[in-house]
Amino acid sequence: MGQHTSAALKLEPLAAQEPPIRVMALRALAYCERLFYLEEVEEIYVANELVYAGRTLHEEAFRQDGLEPRSFEMSSERLGLVGKVDAVRHRDGSWVPYELKRGRPYRAKDKSPRAWPADALQVCAYGMLLEEFTHTRVKECRVRYDAEKVTVRVPLDEDARAAVLMAVHRARHLREATERPPITRDERKCVRCSLAPVCLPEEERAYEHDGWDTIRLFPAIPDGRVIHVTRHGTRIGRSGETLKIEERDVEKRVFPIHDVDCLVIHGYGQITTQALMLCAAHNIPVHWVTAGGRYVGAFSGGAGPVQRRIRQYMALSNPAVALDLARRLAHAKVEGQLRYLLRATCKHKPRTESVMSAVERIRRRLKDIAHAQSISSVRGYEGDGARAYFRALPHLLGHDVPEAMRPKGRSRRPPRDRFNALLGFGYALLNRSVLQSIIAVGLEPAFGFLHQPRTAAHPLVLDIMELFRVPVWDIPLIGSINRRQWDTEQDFSVTRDRVWLSGSGRKKAINLYERRLEDRWKHPVAGYSLSYARTIELEVRLLEKEWTLKKGLFARARLR
Ligand code: SF4
């Protein structure tokens, strides 16, 4: 501030379709340019408890303080700004805008209270809008800090006006950019930032600085719950802001929509248009899985902002980027399979010949993947490693496991034995979890890098699933079979050429899967513990970072 005068700074007029900048967005810009970009350009808003607390405050605190909240919206084409001031007051012949903050003021060296720079910029922008609105000169603005019940004055002088104009200019420039600005250098800001779970600044710092003591800003568990509807004839309707689920002979269940993360309908449950609209309005995806466990598709709200998809297309259209990601992904998957085989057989002394031959083959394929020169070679090596892994899987089952639960090779559509029916059902649930994370992050599920768009399945979903098949489903499934948790008659429907899960089998599999998603583990890149449900989303966000300045974070997690 101070190098420019407001008179010397000229703003270009807004183009016909260009919306004005919100004053709140200018505040975000002053706080952190990345925050401004995520909110204004990518339209990501996550209200944390501080934001909710702030809203309540606005409704009560002014009155407690004898100030009448006269909040109204003002806009100016000349400034390219729009905003809603918290309150205005006419004092000593001039209008004064007031902004209310719940926190404490900044303390100068002499301990006098001052406005924080972002707050000062915001209230001065309101002051300049108020001038246009009232056709009078505003000389001063005020910020009220509720935590200390103190009001500080902010002069609307030449420096302040220049700062507002420069911020508008910078905001308009950033709105045109397709690259996210870098994270702030002041990590203290991130602790209070509602978009930290999207931005992942600590994960970038941990990657850049060895020994960085990461603060977990990413939620360890999902906010809402996944509702599975498994019985035929179930009806899902809406009552106000709740979903109500009615099943024959079962008491009606009611879920407030804010507690729901997603809805999964297995088989032929009916959902009303009203319930679908409620889900769409709250960005709650609805997934359909056949009774046999095949993932059919999903319904989700708006397409989301396009910038993330443009960056994804640009990055994955580059053959070198796609090959690098494919190699890392395949390596992570195959190494996970190898580690599991070794871990699960560490007490077998010596390991059986079949396991050892699978281990040797997988080790060779890991070396091949690291040097593969094309994505089709990566696919070939990965596929060969996977075949060796599946051949070894029956050797991980205990001697007392009934013959009916042992796999007869790998069969998918349809599954020909109980083991494959369970494997396929769990992978369909995993498909749902991964697709949901991809939608939440705003990426295009149809555009991947290892899988080809040949089947109805989304290639990017299949790509990300590779990281989680072993830890999220193979391990708990084999554990449950070894614990004899499956009833070979009750839990399966067996016909001459196919095997499906029965109603009781589906319920058991869903419980096993959902419990696994809640298990926590320490993510090696992030350096903190989080649930598998959150790990899937974290990994999708780390993938996105591959083309938003920070490479090398994706697919680094390994089974221990
Ligand atoms: S988390 Fe930190 S770097 Fe990211 S937007 Fe928020 S303040 Fe900026």
Side-chain angles (χ1 to χ4, degrees):
M1 287 211 305
Q3 290 162 319
H4 299 274
T5 64
S6 58
L9 277 163
K10 282 272 172 286
L11 290 170
E12 293 288 321
L14 286 173
Q17 301 300 323
E18 197 183 351
I21 305 278
R22 295 180 313 117
V23 173
M24 277 296 287
L26 280 196
R27 183 177 185 279
L29 180 82
Y31 192 77
C32 167
E33 289 201 348
R34 167 88 70 116
L35 176 64
F36 168 85
Y37 192 86
L38 292 174
E39 287 190 342
E40 290 306 299
V41 181
E42 302 197 21
E43 296 175 15
I44 304 171
Y45 298 96
V46 180
N48 63 11
E49 70 270 24
L50 295 180
V51 176
Y52 284 122
R55 282 179 195 154
T56 328
L57 185 70
H58 280 157
E59 277 145 34
E60 292 166 9
F62 272 137
R63 283 197 181 85
Q64 285 173 8
D65 211 42
L67 259 173
E68 185 59 26
R70 288 172 61 187
S71 152
F72 54 91
E73 190 163 286
M74 301 174 289
S75 68
S76 158
E77 255 188 57
R78 183 184 69 82
L79 296 169
L81 274 177
V82 61
K84 206 176 195 179
V85 64
D86 282 341
V88 293
R89 213 174 196 190
H90 205 243
R91 279 180 170 256
D92 307 327
S94 303
W95 287 102
V96 180
Y98 281 78
E99 180 61 22
L100 180 66
K101 300 293 174 199
R102 65 190 298 277
R104 298 174 189 285
Y106 167 74
R107 291 279 167 187
K109 279 198 181 129
D110 63 2
K111 302 288 180 217
S112 60
R114 307 269 170 88
W116 292 94
D119 299 340
L121 184 82
Q122 183 185 5
V123 78
C124 286
Y126 288 134
M128 290 169 76
L129 281 173
L130 193 58
E131 285 185 334
E132 296 222 351
F133 193 77
T134 58
H135 304 289
T136 60
R137 185 98 176 145
V138 172
K139 291 178 270 184
E140 184 188 273
C141 314
R142 297 189 186 185
V143 184
R144 169 90 180 154
Y145 289 97
D146 194 62
E148 291 188 11
K149 307 276 183 245
V150 64
T151 301
V152 297
R153 295 164 179 238
V154 182
L156 185 52
D157 55 18
E158 271 305 305
D159 282 356
R161 289 168 197 277
V164 171
L165 295 185
M166 282 166 59
V168 173
H169 184 76
R170 179 71 183 149
R172 287 170 67 179
H173 172 76
L174 283 175
R175 244 181 7 186
E176 298 302 310
T178 51
E179 293 283 331
R180 281 181 188 169
I183 57 171
T184 174
R185 291 189 181 173
D186 182 354
E187 65 263 20
R188 287 167 307 174
K189 289 182 175 178
C190 303
V191 177
R192 295 177 61 82
C193 176
S194 62
L195 287 189
V198 175
C199 173
L200 302 181
E202 283 292 284
E203 290 71 4
E204 285 192 22
R205 292 180 188 118
Y207 184 64
E208 273 169 10
H209 309 288
D210 273 349
W212 182 269
D213 194 8
T214 318
I215 307 167
R216 188 172 59 69
L217 302 175
F218 192 77
I221 52 170
D223 300 331
R225 57 187 296 176
V226 179
I227 300 175
H228 289 271
V229 174
T230 54
R231 288 181 68 181
H232 293 322
T234 303
R235 189 171 180 281
I236 305 142
R238 172 183 184 170
S239 173
E241 289 296 289
T242 63
L243 288 177
K244 56 179 183 122
I245 300 187
E246 294 169 287
E247 294 176 56
R248 211 169 347 113
D249 308 328
V250 175
E251 202 177 326
K252 181 168 72 182
R253 292 180 293 158
V254 177
F255 300 94
I257 197 72
H258 288 295
D259 293 346
V260 179
D261 202 30
C262 89
L263 182 63
V264 189
I265 303 174
H266 299 256
Y268 297 103
Q270 302 294 317
I271 180 164
T272 64
T273 305
Q274 289 84 344
L276 273 178
M277 281 177 68
L278 182 66
C279 291
H282 291 268
N283 267 332
I284 312 276
V286 182
H287 300 265
W288 282 271
V289 179
T290 65
R294 187 170 55 81
Y295 187 81
V296 180
F299 163 85
S300 61
V306 76
Q307 277 78 11
R308 272 168 279 169
R309 290 166 197 230
I310 293 174
R311 285 196 300 260
Q312 179 189 358
Y313 288 134
M314 285 166 60
L316 297 182
S317 303
N318 180 332
V321 173
L323 176 60
D324 175 49
L325 287 172
R327 274 202 213 111
R328 281 156 54 191
L329 175 72
H331 205 277
K333 175 198 174 171
V334 175
E335 198 176 339
Q337 293 174 326
L338 174 66
R339 287 186 183 207
Y340 177 44
L341 286 185
L342 292 172
R343 197 176 87 180
T345 55
C346 65
K347 290 199 181 123
H348 303 182
K349 291 205 174 33
R351 290 186 172 94
T352 64
E353 212 171 283
S354 317
V355 171
M356 279 320 294
S357 110
V359 163
E360 289 313 317
R361 193 168 188 100
I362 293 173
R363 281 192 173 132
R364 282 201 298 279
R365 292 303 165 243
L366 276 174
K367 285 188 191 145
D368 292 335
I369 289 169
H371 299 106
Q373 291 304 309
S374 70
I375 292 179
S376 59
S377 310
V378 175
R379 264 186 230 120
Y381 297 136
E382 180 268 311
D384 194 57
R387 279 188 290 281
Y389 168 75
F390 280 112
R391 275 198 299 275
L393 274 192
H395 302 277
L396 307 190
L397 298 176
H399 297 300
D400 54 348
V401 169
E403 197 53 35
M405 289 304 298
R406 293 180 179 276
K408 319 275 180 297
R410 178 82 178 99
S411 54
R412 292 182 177 80
R413 277 181 233 104
R416 299 197 189 281
D417 56 55
R418 291 169 178 79
F419 186 93
N420 276 287
L422 283 166
L423 208 56
F425 190 82
Y427 289 162
L429 297 179
L430 179 60
N431 188 311
R432 188 277 301 164
S433 302
V434 171
L435 176 63
Q436 189 163 330
S437 294
I438 290 173
I439 292 170
V441 175
L443 297 186
E444 170 55 64
F447 205 56
F449 48 91
L450 179 62
H451 287 85
Q452 296 276 47
R454 280 201 193 118
T455 62
H458 296 303
L460 188 61
V461 177
L462 296 175
D463 287 352
I464 303 287
M465 278 177 69
E466 300 298 7
L467 296 174
F468 296 101
R469 287 179 196 268
V470 173
V472 171
W473 190 235
D474 295 4
I475 292 177
L477 173 63
I478 288 175
S480 71
I481 294 174
N482 280 333
R483 288 191 299 275
R484 308 282 301 272
Q485 288 180 342
W486 302 94
D487 185 318
T488 55
E489 300 303 319
Q490 299 277 317
D491 295 337
F492 302 90
S493 307
V494 183
T495 61
R496 192 169 55 82
D497 59 351
R498 61 181 58 188
V499 178
W500 304 124
L501 295 192
S502 67
S504 68
R506 280 202 298 274
K507 267 199 183 137
K508 277 189 191 172
I510 290 167
N511 280 341
L512 184 67
Y513 179 78
E514 295 293 340
R515 275 209 315 274
R516 182 59 169 176
L517 285 186
E518 287 170 13
D519 282 351
R520 293 191 188 201
W521 73 302
K522 189 170 176 189
H523 193 284
V525 175
Y528 49 70
S529 295
L530 73 173
S531 66
Y532 277 108
R534 276 293 180 182
T535 306
I536 295 173
E537 184 185 326
L538 178 66
E539 207 59 47
V540 178
R541 294 197 182 281
L542 294 178
L543 170 66
E544 194 194 16
K545 278 189 182 282
E546 294 291 325
W547 48 84
T548 52
L549 300 177
K550 279 290 160 283
K551 294 188 189 348
L553 298 168
F554 172 67
R556 290 183 66 219
R558 294 289 188 277
L559 209 64
R560 277 185 287 277

